[in-house]
């Protein structure tokens, strides 16, 4: 009887410990996943206004190619679309190089 009583008690403890460890592991997984999502969301929400700011700052020094800009296939400079002289087969040529 004593051994019978002991055996299930031990098993119960083991089960409890197992479930606690499992819960911990699950909670850790959940937390890690939640942190990843939060970071991704934060990065996205921060990146959007940040990108605008950096574009404005960068426009003075380095020009990141904008939607209305193109990279000349000859001088490899970024020009405004108004400077586009021609594009043969997807290769864009600025007016300076086309002249
Ligand atoms: Zn050019």
């Amino acid at each position: 009887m004593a051994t019978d009583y002991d055996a299930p008690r031990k098993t119960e403890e083991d089960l409890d410990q197992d479930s606690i460890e499992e819960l911990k592991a699950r909670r850790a997984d959940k937390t890690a996943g939640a942190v990843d999502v939060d970071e991704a969301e934060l990065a996205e929400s921060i990146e959007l206004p940040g990108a605008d700011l950096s574009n404005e700052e960068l426009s003075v020094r380095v020009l990141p190619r904008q939607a209305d800009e193109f990279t000349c296939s000859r001088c490899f400079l970024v020009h405004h679309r108004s400077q586009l002289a021609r594009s043969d087969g997807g290769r864009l040529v600025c007016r300076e190089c086309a002249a």
Side-chain angles (χ1 to χ4, degrees):
M1 200 73 175
T3 30
D4 265 349
Y5 183 75
D6 252 20
R9 215 176 86 193
K10 245 188 178 177
T11 311
E12 236 173 53
E13 270 176 16
D14 280 353
L15 278 173
D16 277 349
Q17 272 184 356
D18 275 350
S19 58
I20 284 171
E21 288 302 312
E22 215 176 300
L23 278 174
K24 273 188 189 169
R26 275 190 204 170
R27 205 163 58 182
D29 279 354
K30 240 185 176 178
T31 307
V35 166
D36 278 352
V37 170
D38 280 349
E39 272 179 10
E41 278 177 2
L42 274 174
E44 266 183 28
S45 57
I46 286 170
E47 204 177 322
L48 286 174
D52 286 348
L53 281 174
S54 64
N55 276 351
E56 277 177 11
E57 285 174 12
L58 284 171
S59 64
V60 182
R61 295 171 290 163
V62 187
L63 282 170
R65 197 164 59 155
Q66 306 289 312
D68 61 345
E69 288 177 336
F70 70 96
T71 304
C72 175
S73 63
R74 294 212 187 160
C75 65
F76 299 105
L77 290 176
V78 178
H79 297 281
H80 191 262
R81 200 157 274 279
S82 63
Q83 294 297 303
L84 178 61
R86 66 161 184 268
S87 67
D88 30 53
R91 302 178 86 188
L92 306 170
V93 182
C94 72
R95 283 188 189 180
E96 284 176 52
C97 293

